[in-house]
Amino acid sequence: MDKNTIIEVRHLQKFFGTNKVLNDINFSVNRGDVTCIIGSSGSGKSTLLRCINLFEQPTAGEIFVHGINIVNTKKPNEYRKKVGMVFQSFNLFNNMNVLKNCTIGPRTVLKVSKQEAEARAKKYLAMVGMAEYVNARPAQLSGGQKQRVAIARALAMEPEVLLFDEPTSALDPEMVGEVLSVMTSLAQKGLTMVVVTHEMGFARDIATKVVFMDAGIIEEEGTPQQIFTNPQKQRTREFLSRVL
Amino acid sequence: MDLFKNIGEIISKYYIWLLEGVGYTLLVSLISTIIGLIIGILIGIYRTLPAPKNKFLRVLKKIGDVILSVYIEVFRGTPMMVQAMVIFWGFALLNDGKTLNVIFSGMLIVSINTGAYMAEIVRGGIISVDKGQTEGAAAIGMTHFQTMMRVVLPQALRNIMPSVANEFVINIKDTSVLNVIGFTELFFQAKSIVSSNLLTFETYLLVAAIYFVLTFTITRILRLIEKKMDGDKNYVVLGSQNMDANAYAREKNIGGGKQNG
Ligand SMILES: Nc1ncnc2c1ncn2[C@@H]1O[C@H](COP(=O)(O)OP(=O)(O)OP(=O)(O)O)[C@@H](O)[C@H]1O
Ligand SMILES: [Mg+2]
């Protein structure tokens, strides 16, 4: 295995009851990759991300992280230190201000000192343009600001991979840009990202790899160039003609 | 008028008794509300524990769940006055007629009774916290316990503050049933006063007024505390200008603007 490979998913299957939602998913995430997962609603994109960070228990298959299969790990929280997640609905902690939202992970999970945690939080809040808002509570922020704080909270854990599940889908159109520009700058800094998105512009311009999912399988994957300008599969072409 | 004169006389003659009654009423209702809340929180934590993977532990947890439901149902489904008699005299029966200290018994009974109600209140509070909060915590690697202590319970407790305050007020009134075991709370003192001055109406009217003043003031105080807990309505934006990510991106020249294709 390539030593740059961080995560390798092999033959992943997921059933909800008798409903097969993921079928034989194989793909890998290499250091520095920006993988965009696209596909129509219900195709299993969120389920795949949630299996990768073990929010959902895969029904079959393996997920190797640096060569170790973590599917049956007893301590998923240990693994999640290294694989962060940004949600469509932000999920900031409502009982904490912006600074606390970003220090709580490093403090309680990584056990770093208070000063170190605050320094980190401020560094990443500055990176997302939210340094001035350390005292605000989530309820006092706009959607775009909340999502930028949520990204800073995930970054403060200094994860190896950051998963995004439709990070801009809950936002008003005028706020989508501010979140995408933060994500763009992270991609350019070399952060490894897996992004489920309906923002085709972002996938085309920023992704290093695009994965098209359809009905629980990876129908096609390739560079943005290959997928967007020269798709091989009929289903991919149909999907792209609908969304572009 | 005779009424006011009589009430004035009751106050001047029996104020020590009345104060003692008020003191015990407040003491037992405050302590029992707090202990009841702690019982409720512990039960709430236990009930939301993720199902253990180990079969034996899973059965054990189920048994615990059943015992807790029985406790909650029984104490919510019977009058506290009856509970007081059963516990107080039950203890005496088991200990050759030696009764438990009355003050301790009173606190024990009201605490256990309140705990049964608090368990349901806390459960409601925990359920009312958005599931996204738990996922947000899990996503940064927090354990179930850390998530409960840092994220879920603080929000649940804030949400149930009005119900907890309500329980406290109910306890101030309902501790009057402890007179049946001879606990010298306010109602018991009133009974004693009446038996010596025979001014039944005046005495109970006065006691009613005292109960009302207690519950009314305490309700207001608790509301103030709730407001304090919510913190400032506004926050201070640090630095003079207000940068959004786009402005930031332009300034740092890190690609930007809209990416919509
Ligand atoms: N917890 C669950 N229980 C049962 N079925 C589920 C559950 N979560 C998802 N599903 C089903 O799995 C399928 C894939 O859902 P998923 O959320 O992964 O799709 P998606 O590609 O993310 O769609 P969208 O673009 O709308 O977010 C859907 O048919 C959905 O109904
Ligand atoms: Mg989804």
Side-chain angles (χ1 to χ4, degrees), chain A residues 83-100:
Chain A
V83 180
M85 180 135 177
V86 172
F87 303 86
Q88 182 175 345
S89 50
F90 329 124
N91 297 346
L92 290 178
F93 305 130
N94 294 325
N95 57 324
M96 301 172 200
N97 66 18
V98 164
L99 184 67
K100 196 83 199 294

Side-chain angles (χ1 to χ4, degrees), chain A residues 16-49:
Chain A
F16 285 114
T18 55
N19 182 14
K20 193 187 248 181
V21 173
L22 294 178
N23 187 15
D24 198 28
I25 299 284
N26 293 284
F27 93 119
S28 53
V29 178
N30 295 328
R31 178 156 291 126
D33 273 359
V34 177
T35 308
C36 280
I37 303 178
I38 60 173
S40 50
S41 187
S43 56
K45 306 180 298 292
S46 297
T47 307
L48 174 57
L49 272 201

